[in-house]
Amino acid sequence: MRIKLKLIIMFSIVIIVAVLSTSYISFKSLESAIIDSQLLQMGHELEDKAHSIENLNARASEHLLFAVKNPVFVKYFELPETKAGNIYKNDVLQFTPQQRTLKNEIDQWIYNFQNMFSVDETCLIDRTGQEHTRLVMKKIAPDSDLSHEESATPFFKPSFQKNIDEVYLQYPYVSPDTERWVFAYTTPIVLNDGSKPAFYHFEIPLKSFQDLTKVDHGRAYVVDSAGYLVADSGHVYNQSLNSAPFGQPPKDFFPSISTISTSSEFNEDIRNMFASDNNSTNTGHVTYSGEDGELHYIVFERLPMFGWILAYEKPYSLMMSDNNILHNFAVMLFVISLGVIVGGLIVIYVLSDRITRPIIDFARKCRNQDVSNLQIINPIGTDKEINQVIYAFNEMIEKVNAIEKQKEEFASMVTHELKSPLTPIIGWCQTLKNPKLIGQLNSKQLNAVDTIQKNAKRLLQLVGDILDVQKLDLNRMKFDSQPIDVDDLLNSMYNNLQNVMAQKNINQINSTKEQLTVRSDRNRLEQILNNLILNAVDFVPSEGGKIEYGAQRKGEEILFYVKDNGIGIPPEKQKNLFHKFYQIDTSVTRKHGGSGLGLAISKGIIESLGGKIWVESELGKGASFYFTIPIDRTKTAKSEKVIDVKDQRGI
Ligand code: ADP
């Protein structure tokens, strides 16, 4: 059993390890395939976004450049009065009629453009920082509102550094006029002589840029090189932060990347994105372990605008939950693993059963061996190793049997030698008791001879019993097979026993009712019946003793019985009754004497004749002994198959 258990445990571990490792490997490869495809998909989405952002930027620039292509701008600045310099009255810029006509044309032109494109504010600023026209949300500013302090703006200088068809893009700021976050695009007005008297400027809301980062799953954001999030799908921006200082890049008013993660790994990732060589690919993907305990995947792309990074990130769970395959695969893997493990255990159980069954079988056969008659064990199953053990065991049995045989032969010889002198002793005692042959002995002498004879007879009986036991053990008892008239057998027994019965006042009944014939050994049957009846004689009460015996047919057998009204046998003693030398120890049985061999011999003979013996009794209620004898012994005789150990060795 322990072997079986060990095998099961060992194989289970092997199977489980195998299943788990293959499951793990396939799970991992599927997982990485899913991640790859997710990254690819995220990459496509990111590209689309970058494209839209680029598109917005390009459209704004094209719009700006197209707008300044209207010759009215050059015409306005080529006017001698414009070239002569600004004239103010009460700090308000004064326009000549000619200037006014052209300015109106410009205002109208800009107004139409603001209708076409979502521009918050447009203005025209000259080299002194004076606005010549301004439209805020399609409203033309009155002359008194035109600022002359625009030279302080951050885009002032850079705008003049641009050439014809070139656009300057200003980092986002809060426009003082609209109080909204904006980008400013500027381009110079270039006159025929190449001079740049003014530049054209417009603002588009940052929101239209930020809106482009919206994503359905995960988070997309735009980081600037200082680590600020100028756009973030995970953050709601206040679009009218009027406290932001105008004129400086108001980076501090954007959330920092630490609002996404403070992990150093993430910071490193962002730094590396900016560090990557501009000439090489501007896209890629990285990972970092987030504070939420998940691995985060980021795909990123560098935008041409300010060298900003557009990033799109998803945690592991989102990468997977967007995809049912892994879940289905895990379920499938679980079912298959369970199947393999259960199947494997069944196979192991069956296999180990095949291994241990012969061992258990062998152990059972060993245990069932009759020590007085050790039998060779047939090979069990086809397993060579186990049969080797059996062959070795059989060889040992052969040796033990040979020794036993020698011992038995010696004992048989001894008992035989003991028996031989007893017959003449008994005979001579008989002669001594006969006054005609030897002469009259006095009563003391007669008593002594009688005691010698009685004891010699007992000894002869005992030696005879021992010889019978040995013959039965060695299977050497010979049996006759003659037709027996059962009635005749029982009647002669009745007559022989009459004396004994009369002496003890026992009521002897032969209750056989049928005419029965049996083919068996008459002497042996007499011996058995004698044993049983004489036992009964010893145990019936001295007054009113009754012994009933007889035979009846039961199918193909004759059932003999000997019933008495004696002391009976307690049930717990009955199973040992037929063992050699077994005697029940009571005051009555002690008086009974005997060797404890009678029932063992009877059993041995009955079984050799092909029958069975048993007892039915209750303490104090008498005992009934039964035995069966086949009607024809020759048909049911026991035949033992003897296996030659030497043959086995050759297998
Ligand atoms: P023994 O030679 O001692 O009679 P047996 O084998 O014939 O040996 O009997 C074994 C024991 O069974 C006896 O010692 C006795 O105690 C018990 N026994 C046998 N027959 C009877 C019986 N008819 N009634 C009660 N006890 C019996």
Side-chain angles (χ1 to χ4, degrees):
M1 214 50 212
R2 225 176 272 154
I3 295 181
K4 190 183 283 183
L5 207 70
K6 275 185 192 162
L7 281 172
I8 289 179
I9 292 171
M10 219 168 71
F11 281 105
S12 311
I13 291 171
V14 170
I15 287 183
I16 289 167
V17 166
V19 167
L20 289 185
S21 50
T22 40
S23 307
Y24 181 77
I25 292 167
S26 19
F27 183 86
K28 276 285 157 193
S29 55
L30 187 68
E31 184 192 46
S32 76
I34 289 170
I35 287 171
D36 284 352
S37 87
Q38 275 280 336
L39 287 174
L40 207 69
Q41 206 178 314
M42 284 165 78
H44 289 319
E45 264 183 69
L46 189 82
E47 227 170 84
D48 280 354
K49 288 200 183 307
H51 201 74
S52 312
I53 290 170
E54 198 37 53
N55 207 28
L56 176 77
N57 188 32
R59 269 167 58 226
S61 302
E62 277 166 21
H63 168 80
L64 185 79
L65 293 176
F66 181 76
V68 294
K69 286 279 181 303
N70 190 331
V72 71
F73 291 99
V74 174
K75 245 192 236 170
Y76 178 86
F77 285 101
E78 291 277 17
L79 281 176
E81 54 261 53
T82 315
K83 277 188 164 174
N86 299 331
I87 292 168
Y88 295 91
K89 195 174 180 185
N90 295 334
D91 232 15
V92 175
L93 180 66
Q94 301 297 304
F95 295 97
T96 63
Q98 251 187 319
Q99 275 180 319
R100 174 69 67 197
T101 314
L102 289 175
K103 175 177 153 52
N104 284 346
E105 210 179 300
I106 288 170
D107 285 345
Q108 196 52 51
W109 171 248
I110 292 171
Y111 180 87
N112 289 341
F113 263 90
Q114 282 201 349
N115 259 348
M116 280 158 55
F117 198 78
S118 68
V119 173
D120 272 12
E121 179 176 343
T122 316
C123 45
L124 197 58
I125 296 162
D126 70 18
R127 277 195 169 273
T128 67
Q130 174 65 54
E131 284 179 339
H132 285 254
T133 185
R134 179 167 71 200
L135 268 88
V136 178
M137 305 298 204
K138 290 192 274 179
K139 275 203 184 85
I140 301 163
D143 296 351
S144 57
D145 265 11
L146 293 175
S147 154
H148 48 261
E149 286 164 352
E150 296 298 303
S151 59
T153 63
F155 44 82
F156 185 79
K157 257 194 197 157
S159 302
F160 284 108
Q161 281 159 11
K162 294 288 171 188
N163 292 317
I164 195 159
D165 281 345
E166 278 180 0
V167 176
Y168 171 73
L169 178 59
Q170 174 59 45
Y171 198 93
Y173 60 92
V174 177
S175 163
D177 300 313
T178 60
E179 293 187 348
R180 299 212 299 187
W181 284 99
V182 293
F183 283 119
Y185 290 81
T186 64
T187 191
I189 307 292
V190 183
L191 298 187
N192 295 331
D193 61 2
S195 64
K196 302 171 205 167
F199 65 89
Y200 181 76
H201 155 267
F202 72 55
E203 294 168 354
I204 64 165
L206 179 63
K207 189 173 186 304
S208 42
F209 171 86
Q210 286 173 333
D211 283 348
L212 294 176
T213 61
K214 276 187 189 134
V215 282
D216 292 338
H217 303 285
R219 191 168 183 175
Y221 44 88
V222 176
V223 196
D224 74 4
S225 58
Y228 291 97
L229 298 168
V230 284
D232 177 8
S233 68
H235 179 81
V236 179
Y237 285 85
N238 184 349
Q239 295 297 330
S240 55
L241 253 184
N242 53 12
S243 57
F246 176 68
Q248 299 156 28
K251 289 176 174 174
D252 290 341
F253 292 86
F254 292 113
S256 123
I257 53 162
S258 64
T259 58
I260 294 176
S261 169
T262 51
S263 91
S264 54
E265 210 183 333
F266 175 69
N267 267 285
E268 180 100 349
D269 281 346
I270 299 287
R271 222 174 305 131
N272 287 340
M273 289 176 199
F274 284 102
S276 72
D277 183 1
N278 256 339
N279 297 329
S280 73
T281 169
N282 286 336
T283 62
H285 71 261
V286 288
T287 58
Y288 74 95
S289 318
E291 283 87 340
D292 51 8
E294 285 202 65
L295 192 64
H296 288 244
Y297 293 82
I298 309 177
V299 290
F300 67 90
E301 183 164 345
R302 192 197 289 263
L303 299 173
M305 291 168 77
F306 310 106
W308 285 346
I309 299 284
L310 171 66
Y312 182 15
E313 88 166 62
K314 277 185 185 179
Y316 174 84
S317 57
L318 208 58
M319 301 281 278
M320 294 300 145
S321 73
D322 274 359
N323 203 314
N324 276 335
I325 297 173
L326 198 69
H327 176 256
N328 293 345
F329 180 74
V331 169
M332 191 182 75
L333 218 56
F334 177 75
V335 170
I336 291 175
S337 308
L338 204 71
V340 168
I341 290 169
V342 169
L345 284 180
I346 291 170
V347 168
I348 291 161
Y349 186 82
V350 171
L351 278 181
S352 62
D353 202 53
R354 273 179 61 180
I355 295 169
T356 52
R357 180 156 301 216
I359 298 174
I360 293 165
D361 244 31
F362 176 55
R364 187 176 44 78
K365 284 187 175 167
C366 287
R367 240 176 263 129
N368 287 348
Q369 286 273 2
D370 182 354
V371 194
S372 59
N373 184 20
L374 290 174
Q375 296 287 329
I376 279 169
I377 294 176
N378 282 328
I380 302 166
T382 50
D383 192 87
K384 264 192 174 172
E385 282 79 5
I386 286 157
N387 281 325
Q388 286 299 327
V389 176
I390 295 174
Y391 303 151
F393 179 82
N394 285 345
E395 280 172 33
M396 188 193 71
I397 284 184
E398 268 205 332
K399 285 176 195 159
V400 171
N401 278 346
I403 295 166
E404 272 308 302
K405 208 171 165 187
Q406 277 176 3
K407 268 165 56 185
E408 277 162 0
E409 273 165 4
F410 176 73
S412 160
M413 191 263 287
V414 169
T415 35
H416 212 268
E417 289 306 307
L418 278 175
K419 197 181 173 184
S420 317
L422 282 173
T423 320
I425 290 172
I426 292 164
W428 279 108
C429 284
Q430 197 56 41
T431 311
L432 278 175
K433 276 159 78 178
N434 192 338
K436 286 175 198 153
L437 297 173
I438 301 285
Q440 184 70 49
L441 301 181
N442 66 31
S443 66
K444 271 190 179 169
Q445 290 167 328
L446 205 62
N447 239 343
V449 171
D450 203 43
T451 308
I452 293 170
Q453 195 189 26
K454 259 191 201 153
N455 280 299
K457 275 186 178 167
R458 272 187 66 187
L459 199 58
L460 185 67
Q461 174 68 40
L462 181 63
V463 171
D465 280 357
I466 293 174
L467 274 172
D468 274 354
V469 167
Q470 283 173 340
K471 277 185 206 157
L472 284 167
D473 282 351
L474 292 173
N475 227 349
R476 280 193 195 153
M477 193 176 270
K478 298 217 161 47
F479 295 100
D480 203 7
S481 204
Q482 295 295 322
I484 305 161
D485 181 342
V486 176
D487 199 31
D488 180 54
L489 170 80
L490 292 171
N491 277 335
S492 73
M493 295 228 35
Y494 189 91
N495 293 332
N496 291 344
L497 287 164
Q498 235 170 358
N499 261 345
V500 185
M501 300 291 182
Q503 268 172 27
K504 290 204 154 187
N505 252 332
I506 299 169
N507 180 13
Q508 178 190 205
I509 307 161
N510 172 4
S511 54
T512 313
K513 294 193 177 72
E514 308 163 57
Q515 188 66 42
L516 303 165
T517 320
V518 65
R519 180 179 268 278
S520 199
D521 188 321
R522 184 176 173 128
N523 288 336
R524 292 299 177 188
L525 287 186
E526 263 177 25
Q527 186 185 349
I528 298 161
L529 284 165
N530 247 318
N531 267 343
L532 298 178
I533 294 169
L534 290 178
N535 272 350
V537 167
D538 280 346
F539 294 106
V540 290
S542 45
E543 286 301 316
K546 188 176 133 189
I547 300 175
E548 180 192 338
Y549 55 85
Q552 67 189 71
R553 188 174 172 143
K554 275 260 143 79
E556 286 307 295
E557 291 175 323
I558 304 287
L559 174 72
F560 290 89
Y561 51 86
V562 177
K563 303 174 180 179
D564 65 56
N565 64 345
I567 59 164
I569 303 152
E572 71 276 10
K573 307 256 159 103
Q574 291 175 9
K575 57 177 187 302
N576 295 322
L577 218 54
F578 300 96
H579 290 170
K580 280 180 234 169
F581 302 111
Y582 183 80
Q583 286 178 307
I584 300 168
D585 191 22
T586 65
S587 56
V588 187
T589 49
R590 262 196 300 276
K591 260 185 268 160
H592 153 74
S595 60
L597 290 173
L599 288 178
I601 293 169
S602 301
K603 183 174 188 268
I605 295 172
I606 289 164
E607 285 176 358
S608 299
L609 290 173
K612 264 192 286 205
I613 183 167
W614 69 98
V615 65
E616 285 172 11
S617 178
E618 250 181 79
L619 196 60
K621 290 195 177 164
S624 302
F625 284 85
Y626 298 90
F627 67 92
T628 57
I629 292 294
I631 286 182
D632 191 346
R633 179 177 110 72
T634 49
K635 288 183 187 161
T636 50
K638 247 175 34 177
S639 73
E640 281 291 317
K641 195 185 163 206
V642 180
I643 303 140
D644 189 352
V645 176
K646 286 179 199 92
D647 287 351
Q648 291 184 352
R649 264 186 242 120
I651 299 170

